[in-house]
Amino acid sequence: MRVIAKSTLKKFWEQPGYGDARGALESWHEEAVKASWTSPQAVKNQYGSASLCANNRVVFNVGGNKYRLVVEMQYRAGIAWVKFIGTHAQYDRIDVETVNDY
């Protein structure tokens, strides 16, 4: 998959208080780049705890479930577009189907 964009993930972990997310986000990125997710089921097969949402959105639990990563999947194009990364409390304040923070 082509991940748009690693810089978004980096921008998050470089913020004060979120440095602990770096390892988990880098690992997710490495796995996503190597993946060939052609359907929501393909994502679930690799990440059983991922939540499939409307508008081709997938929510990944990252960093021991401390953070939430919202990605819009464009399966035919092979693109995983990062739309949101934040804590559970921050995630609770967004609409996963429309968030476009990055």
Side-chain angles (χ1 to χ4, degrees), residues 1-5 28 37 43 51 53-60 69-84 96-102:
M1 301 294 289
R2 180 172 164 224
V3 177
I4 302 173
W28 177 87
W37 296 321
V43 176
S51 298
C53 304
N55 289 345
N56 289 323
R57 302 290 176 103
V58 179
V59 180
F60 296 91
L69 174 64
V70 178
V71 178
E72 178 182 318
M73 305 301 287
Q74 297 175 8
Y75 297 105
R76 287 187 187 185
I79 295 172
W81 193 329
V82 175
K83 296 295 183 176
F84 172 86
V96 71
E97 296 176 17
T98 61
V99 69
N100 195 22
D101 278 2
Y102 301 103

Side-chain angles (χ1 to χ4, degrees), residues 2 7 10 13 18 29 32 44-45 61-62 65 68 81 91 93 97:
R2 180 172 164 224
S7 62
K10 185 178 180 198
W13 77 59
Y18 300 124
H29 182 267
K44 284 294 278 184
N45 290 345
N61 296 315
V62 179
N65 208 20
R68 293 275 175 108
W81 193 329
Y91 171 82
R93 294 191 299 266
E97 296 176 17

